[in-house]
Amino acid sequence: MHYILEILPSLLDGLKLTLGVFFLTLIISLPLGVIVSMAQRSRFFALRWITNIYITIMRGTPLLLQIVFVYYGLSLANITVLPRFEAVVLTFVLNYTAYFAEIFRGGIQAVPAGQYAGARVLGMNKLQTFRYIALPQVIKTVMPSVGNEVINLVKDTSLVYVIGLGDLMRAGTIDVARDVTLIPYLLVGAFYLLLTMIFTVIMRYIEKRLNYYR
Amino acid sequence: MLSIKNLTKSYNGRTIFKDLSFTVAPGEVLTIVGPSGIGKTTFLNILAGLIPADSGSIELDGKELTIDGTRQGSEVGVIFQDFNLFPQYTVTENITLAPRIVAKEKKATYTKTAAELLADLDLTEHQNNYPFELSGGQKQRVAIARALAMKPGVLAYDEPTSGLDEASTERVTSIIQKLQSRNATQLVVTHDLPFAQSLNGKVLDFSKDVER
Ligand SMILES: Nc1ncnc2c1ncn2[C@@H]1O[C@H](COP(=O)(O)OP(=O)(O)OP(=O)(O)O)[C@@H](O)[C@H]1O
Ligand SMILES: [Mg+2]
């Protein structure tokens, strides 16, 4: 117990960074995902093409590699040297935007054509149709998949320790190496579990709220 | 007054109808009949502005409507075969959405109109239900109310009795007749012949009266 209290401050520090990466990624990549999913359906071939390549790469390579690539790669190629935290957030945003875009694309496709026809003969313009007809339905359809990604994101944040960022995982690893005990890892695991449980409850609640219609 | 002139439509070189011309006057119900696949829905979609025609013209109350399939307007009130109600909105919200955001009516105005339509179509007790909670006949009436709320120049129904039992069919008939007595211009697509006869209007048989 005494030992736990002793290592808790450093773990909480790590937790702070983990949550920072988590929330920044979520807040930026959710709206970006909407935009990219619209680009995927653009009239312009070039835009669709670029978007598809981007999504293929992001989904087809490990996030771990992407983190290392952005952090070390950009400086090796003499492009720019990003601070660790910024490099990590950039990578996570790029990666998760791609996943969210795919999810939203599916959600948009799931809106029946008749809904658009119904809106059009009532005189709604494109924006009104998106805002009042399609979007609410898309949000409902994508919520379970978005929820899965949110849980994945919590766990994926542990990958940032490879470039030496002091997240929860790294805080635990330092304590384990120093004190030769597994207790820090157990604590770290408990933290992740707690986080994923909290977000699961939140997502379930939102899903339930959206279940007032079929 | 709806007036269709020389309307022609083909899909990939196959003519569905050619030089289709007719008029429907206020207080008149035109029934379009014909076997499956003959082009009834295709015509309705052109009238609704949803798909393009090759040539011809559509005039409604002295105003020319576009036939390029990109129209966005409520001049033609459409009651789709599967209704296309908005599932996330209640019956009342389905009816008031367009008056509110498209016609930009005042709340007092669209609430009053909606209340009248709900009473008229016997939907008052379902006003707070969602579409999934309604029967086919009730959905049908919501679709009619939703179209009427935008005060269209013509009402067009696609197979309004498909999937309805006899009682509901009679109900649709009496609604159409009620609107007729109020001088609405109406056009009904159906392949339900007894129903077509009960409407007592002009009948246009797409399998006989239409060139292709
Ligand atoms: N998008 C399309 N591309 C090519 N052909 C089409 C398309 N839509 C409809 N058709 C064809 O046009 C013809 C008319 O179809 P339409 O849906 O208008 O028939 P309908 O008279 O409404 O039939 P039903 O009574 O079964 O509803 C059919 O042969 C159909 O295959
Ligand atoms: Mg049809």
Side-chain angles (χ1 to χ4, degrees), chain B residues 11-12 14 16 35-42 81 159 191:
Chain B
Y11 278 123
N12 323 314
R14 188 166 69 94
I16 306 294
S36 184
I38 198 89
K40 306 183 298 294
T41 299
T42 302
Q81 183 165 2
E159 306 279 1
H191 52 217

Side-chain angles (χ1 to χ4, degrees), chain B residues 1-5 57-65:
Chain B
M1 173 78 117
L2 172 72
S3 124
I4 309 292
K5 283 203 193 89
S57 70
I58 303 175
E59 206 185 276
L60 180 62
D61 300 328
K63 208 182 129 222
E64 177 106 11
L65 301 184

